[in-house]
Amino acid sequence: NADAAMYRAKELGRDNFQFYAPEFNATAQEKFLLQEELRNALARAEFTLLYQPQVDLRSGNVFAAEALIRWNHPSLGLIAPMKFIPMAEETGLIVPIGDWVLHEACRQNKAWQDAGLPPLVVCVNVSARQFKEKNLISRVVDALTNSGLDVKYLELEVTESLIMQNVEMAVATMNQLQSLGVQISIDDFGTGYSSLSALKTFPVARLKIDKSFINDLATDENDQAVASAVISLGQKLNLRVIAEGVETDDQIAFLRKNNCDEMQGYHFSKPVSAHGIARLLYKEQGGHTPPE
Ligand code: C2E
Ligand code: MG
Ligand code: MG
Ligand code: MG
């Protein structure tokens, strides 16, 4: 702890002080504690999923929702994935956590369908560590079997950089998933340097243009060039293209003009609870109140 670190630092003399500064120690300790908490979080049922709708730009229909994990910590409150997914990756905890996400997203999607809502595709983020697991395929099959969800309503999102770590392995795994009937999209596209010749061998249905190219889309000519290039690349390779992080009318106008297929972002909706999705779909259908 900080007192002991301070004492130790004094013992070692001034020159060494910076290496034992309490702030440094506290961060390391904080990290260690958070890791312990993360280990228990699954058993304590502290994770929850929010869902962000994805909208067809031509029809305006919601056709899919991306599952986004949150950690509801008893004293720290709601923790964003960027704060614990990297740690979960490092420790390998991402494997059981990712498994939970997969099962929960499939279960929830089937529950929406059983409640009579128009069927959606649920999109689940898969991290590098999870993707490399030998039994990924059987885990996906388990989630589908346990939930009773039809495979055509499940999509996995893998990042472009994950694929580029080991293209051969990634393509082999994606081929197996595709033969199961699971759709795959490439997340954060544009940030991972895939070569165009590699891209055409990827068995994917969709490219997600990274938010960083969408943020300043209305004014930044470089971002406009990247976004329109990705859209026409998608068209030529027969892949759908979705823009993520869409917040303004100007961004939508650009995407429409350039024939982008789909969008996801705060402009339409932030990530919401499962009930929030049900409410939204009921409203689209004609305005009933959904059952609690
Ligand atoms: P991602 O998969 O690229 O997800 C999109 C992120 O952008 C989400 O952040 C979403 O809330 C945010 N976003 C969407 N639209 C807008 C917008 O209009 N404006 C702004 N400012 N942000 C927007 P979130 O939920 O914090 O997730 C961050 C990342 O954490 C995800 O990026 C994904 O890489 C990872 N992640 C989330 N859930 C999971 C999961 O279940 N498993 C794994 N392995 N990773 C996950
Ligand atoms: Mg994603
Ligand atoms: Mg993304
Ligand atoms: Mg992103």
Side-chain angles (χ1 to χ4, degrees), residues 115-239:
L117 296 165
L120 292 184
V121 171
V122 74
C123 306
V124 174
N125 292 286
V126 176
S127 77
R129 181 90 174 241
Q130 225 185 326
F131 193 77
K132 285 180 207 143
E133 283 283 295
K134 286 270 178 310
N135 58 1
L136 173 73
I137 306 296
S138 65
R139 285 167 189 273
V140 170
V141 171
D142 276 359
L144 291 166
T145 312
N146 288 349
S147 61
L149 183 72
D150 188 320
V151 65
K152 71 178 179 217
Y153 298 117
L154 175 65
E155 181 166 306
L156 300 182
E157 296 192 359
V158 295
T159 62
E160 188 184 16
S161 52
L162 177 160
I163 298 175
M164 296 318 288
Q165 281 173 23
N166 185 341
V167 175
E168 219 173 306
M169 190 218 80
V171 169
T173 306
M174 289 192 290
N175 275 327
Q176 280 180 286
L177 289 165
Q178 197 195 39
S179 59
L180 267 184
V182 178
Q183 305 195 67
I184 301 162
S185 59
I186 306 185
D187 207 350
D188 304 344
F189 190 78
T191 62
Y193 311 103
S194 41
S195 74
L196 300 185
S197 56
L199 183 60
K200 84 177 178 223
T201 70
F202 299 166
V204 300
R206 222 168 36 142
L207 305 176
K208 297 191 82 174
I209 308 177
D210 191 64
K211 208 166 56 236
S212 62
F213 302 110
I214 305 299
N215 292 340
D216 301 321
L217 195 57
T219 51
D220 187 316
E221 285 176 15
N222 294 323
D223 289 345
Q224 293 175 350
V226 173
S228 65
V230 173
I231 294 165
S232 53
L233 185 63
Q235 280 167 347
K236 292 196 175 102
L237 295 177
N238 225 350
L239 307 174

